[in-house]
Amino acid sequence: MKILESKIITHVFVCATCTLEGNATPAKAGVGIEFRNKLKRMAAAKWNKSDVRISSSGCLGKCGKGINCVIYPEGQWISNLQAG
């Protein structure tokens, strides 16, 4: 195993299965992805890509709270986000 150094300061994981209704079904899961895409555009305009990374994740276990993300290394959770 080789450990690589990273210059990423912040890594945000956005649940790609979240829905505003709290039901993670394939037909409704696009809202989490929409939010991630919007966040990526905002981050690209403000920060260097090597400093901040925005990624999709699987279920973060808080589906009843709308769109969710977790920010590392802080370990900060944010719920009830909206794509619009």
Side-chain angles (χ1 to χ4, degrees):
M1 179 171 72
K2 183 177 181 180
I3 298 175
L4 302 175
E5 290 294 320
S6 175
K7 295 181 181 180
I8 296 173
I9 297 168
T10 300
H11 199 160
V12 180
F13 294 91
V14 178
C15 180
T17 62
C18 284
T19 69
L20 296 177
E21 294 81 21
N23 302 354
T25 63
K28 295 182 178 181
V31 72
I33 295 169
E34 288 174 34
F35 178 81
R36 187 224 42 214
N37 292 340
K38 180 179 178 180
L39 189 59
K40 282 180 94 159
R41 287 190 300 273
M42 291 170 54
K46 188 167 183 169
W47 295 293
N48 187 324
K49 185 177 181 177
S50 63
D51 293 337
V52 177
R53 183 66 52 115
I54 312 294
S55 301
S56 296
S57 77
C59 181
L60 294 173
K62 298 180 181 277
C63 297
K65 298 184 187 259
I67 302 170
N68 300 278
C69 76
V70 61
I71 304 168
Y72 286 106
E74 294 87 352
Q76 181 180 17
W77 289 76
I78 303 174
S79 298
N80 201 23
L81 297 164
Q82 299 196 13

